[in-house]
Amino acid sequence: MTGAFLGLEMYEGVDPEGAERAFEALEQPAAPAGVLDERGPVARRAVRHRLRRTKKVQDGA
């Protein structure tokens, strides 16, 4: 993760607009994660179960 951050920092010198879009894209998954942190353990477990199940279907298992 540190390498990605440093890469984006260096990329900012070459393409500031592209780097800004990349940083914004990295922030998008943070919003649902924050909401999930506010839920109780049962809700978090249900979401984890659903994500695992979805991954298995996508992988063809």
Side-chain angles (χ1 to χ4, degrees), residues 7-33:
L8 286 173
E9 284 291 319
M10 292 187 326
Y11 183 60
E12 189 172 28
V14 177
D15 183 4
E17 291 177 21
E20 181 64 29
R21 287 192 307 270
F23 277 117
E24 288 172 2
L26 290 174
E27 292 175 357
Q28 289 177 358

Side-chain angles (χ1 to χ4, degrees), residues 23-45:
F23 277 117
E24 288 172 2
L26 290 174
E27 292 175 357
Q28 289 177 358
V35 171
L36 188 57
D37 282 344
E38 296 170 1
R39 303 292 175 222
V42 174
R44 287 193 301 263
R45 185 173 179 194

Side-chain angles (χ1 to χ4, degrees), residues 38-57:
E38 296 170 1
R39 303 292 175 222
V42 174
R44 287 193 301 263
R45 185 173 179 194
V47 170
R48 278 194 306 267
H49 173 76
R50 181 64 178 191
L51 290 172
R52 285 186 193 120
R53 193 168 162 211
T54 301
K55 181 162 177 22
K56 286 181 183 178
V57 169

